[in-house]
Amino acid sequence: MHEPTLQAQGMSAHRSLQPVQVALKYGFRLSALLVGAVYFVTAIGKGTQVDRTAIVIESILPVHEQVSQGMVVVLIAIELALAGMLISGYRLKLASFVSLLLGALFLIWHLLVWLDPEAIDCGCGAPLMVKKLIGDFGSGVSLAGGVLVLSGVALFGCFQNDLYENCSA
């Protein structure tokens, strides 16, 4: 027996892809929202532990205390700005790209922490409950890896112009 084609049924192949396009569009946007939420939580975590995070930086990098505290403040500001951009959708392509780079940097940082036997903490700002459940190194790598992957997914979505509006650079 002969199967009717989509055109014979009065449907185009383009219309049959609409649910997939909608799912992809919202999946990409959800990725950006999740990364934004992670940045917001970790920025708050670092903000409540500036001295501790600065000590972690000093244990890995040969910098002065004031420099490490300045680095923490700048990182908190970057994370809060990225969180706002990713959650609001403002300049999403740029925010996703910077987030992808920052995720890669965080993974490198965790490698340095893992290789240094004297490192006291990852400095990621993960909530204490997460660190207790997964372990300090595991929680930092999980956050950094999650940020890297979700940022890549959000950035990929931005390059799908027909699927994802409001992705201005």
Side-chain angles (χ1 to χ4, degrees):
M1 183 122 215
H2 176 270
E3 290 289 321
T5 64
L6 290 174
Q7 279 85 13
Q9 294 176 348
M11 303 162 93
S12 70
H14 178 68
R15 282 189 174 195
S16 67
L17 293 178
Q18 268 187 333
V20 172
Q21 289 175 333
V22 169
L24 287 173
K25 176 181 176 179
Y26 290 111
F28 294 140
R29 186 68 185 109
L30 181 61
S31 295
L33 290 170
L34 288 172
V35 173
V38 166
Y39 278 131
F40 182 75
V41 169
T42 57
I44 298 301
K46 286 180 188 80
T48 60
Q49 310 171 39
V50 173
D51 291 335
R52 181 168 175 78
T53 306
I55 290 169
V56 172
I57 291 173
E58 293 166 28
S59 73
I60 304 296
L61 301 175
V63 295
H64 190 270
E65 179 181 349
Q66 292 172 332
V67 173
S68 65
Q69 287 184 343
M71 290 170 71
V72 172
V73 170
V74 168
L75 183 58
I76 291 168
I78 290 170
E79 286 182 337
L80 287 174
L82 278 175
M85 291 171 75
L86 289 165
I87 290 170
S88 71
Y90 177 72
R91 298 184 58 109
L92 203 47
K93 192 180 290 184
L94 174 66
S96 297
F97 180 72
V98 171
S99 179
L100 186 69
L101 293 178
L102 200 54
L105 181 67
F106 287 157
L107 279 176
I108 292 168
W109 174 257
H110 283 90
L111 178 64
L112 292 174
V113 168
W114 181 64
L115 291 174
D116 187 351
E118 305 210 2
I120 56 171
D121 187 0
C122 66
C124 61
L128 189 58
M129 179 181 76
V130 172
K131 288 184 179 184
K132 284 185 179 183
L133 288 173
I134 304 175
D136 189 39
F137 179 72
S139 64
V141 169
S142 299
L143 282 173
V147 163
L148 185 68
V149 169
L150 290 173
S151 298
V153 169
L155 187 61
F156 176 76
C158 285
F159 284 107
Q160 304 301 315
N161 292 332
D162 57 327
L163 298 178
Y164 206 48
E165 297 104 24
N166 301 324
C167 253
S168 60

